[in-house]
């Protein structure tokens, strides 16, 4: 064990003060906000217009909300996003995420 390792904690490991750093395996894991994605305009409009999807979407877990946002934003055309949103309404109200089986 080097003298530097003993000075830093006695066990020879060097730990960083970075909150995204995990000492095990030297892998870095960042922290993300739970709702860090921009919601598509069609979803925002649907949530404002109808009370049903608002309650359903808000009741979803952050991962389920994220899965729906990703599904909707992958469509290039607005018409496709609207169609996907109409098809998803029952699942969203049922509390299911996009990948729910």
């Amino acid at each position: 064990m080097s003298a530097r390792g003993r000075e830093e904690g006695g066990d020879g490991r060097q730990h960083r003060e970075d909150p995204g750093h995990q000492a095990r395996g030297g892998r870095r894991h960042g922290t993300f906000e739970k709702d860090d994605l921009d919601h598509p305009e069609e979803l925002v409009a649907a949530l404002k217009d109808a009370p049903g999807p608002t309650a359903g979407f808000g009741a979803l877990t952050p991962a389920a909300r994220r899965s729906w946002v990703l599904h909707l934003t992958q469509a290039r055309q607005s018409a496709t996003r609207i169609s996907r949103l109409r098809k998803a309404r029952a699942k969203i109200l049922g509390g299911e995420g996009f990948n729910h089986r």
Side-chain angles (χ1 to χ4, degrees):
M1 182 180 334
S2 69
R4 184 174 185 178
R6 284 186 217 117
E7 291 172 7
E8 290 179 359
D11 62 357
R13 297 183 198 165
Q14 296 177 2
H15 298 282
R16 297 184 185 170
E17 305 244 345
D18 180 11
H21 176 75
Q22 297 249 341
R24 185 169 35 138
R27 290 178 274 165
R28 298 182 68 94
H29 300 279
T31 56
F32 299 98
E33 294 295 322
K34 294 190 188 259
D35 289 323
D36 62 339
L37 297 174
D38 292 330
H39 292 63
E41 294 175 14
E42 296 80 6
L43 178 61
V44 172
L47 294 176
K48 285 182 182 177
D49 293 341
T54 305
F57 194 76
L60 294 174
T61 64
R65 284 193 302 266
R66 184 178 179 84
S67 69
W68 283 117
V69 170
L70 288 173
H71 175 64
L72 294 171
T73 55
Q74 288 175 348
R76 293 181 186 181
Q77 297 181 5
S78 178
T80 307
R81 288 189 292 271
I82 291 170
S83 174
R84 288 183 180 185
L85 190 56
R86 285 184 185 147
K87 291 175 186 176
R89 187 176 189 278
K91 282 188 165 186
I92 291 172
L93 291 175
E96 297 178 8
F98 174 68
N99 297 317
H100 185 80
R101 293 185 180 173

